[in-house]
Amino acid sequence: NGAKLALEAAGIVVYEKYTVLKISASYADYQKIPPLLAKAGALIDGTEFGENVVTTVAVKEDAAAALSVSLK
């Protein structure tokens, strides 16, 4: 049956909850942020360069608290 084959080929998709964080930092402190984001597995949604650098990231809910602590 075609529908059964299509479902088997599609596989299972797992959705995970993410928390969106806006991180504001001076230009000097901004250089410290990318390694912390990488360690947390955060996804960068955008970065705005103005008076400060504001980076919007999405991080898995279970890693958000630890990332917030490491950014302080």
Side-chain angles (χ1 to χ4, degrees):
N1 166 327
K4 181 179 178 185
L5 292 175
L7 286 173
E8 289 174 357
I12 296 174
V13 176
V14 177
Y15 287 95
E16 297 180 289
K17 291 186 178 186
Y18 280 74
T19 298
V20 174
L21 302 174
K22 279 196 170 228
I23 303 162
S24 180
S26 68
Y27 280 83
D29 288 338
Y30 172 70
Q31 301 302 319
K32 302 171 190 171
I33 294 174
L36 298 173
L37 298 178
K39 183 177 178 182
L43 305 172
I44 299 173
D45 289 335
T47 303
E48 300 171 21
F49 297 91
E51 185 176 326
N52 287 313
V53 181
V54 179
T55 304
T56 304
V57 301
V59 62
K60 290 181 184 177
E61 281 187 347
D62 60 349
L67 177 59
S68 293
V69 169
S70 69
L71 289 169
K72 290 185 179 190

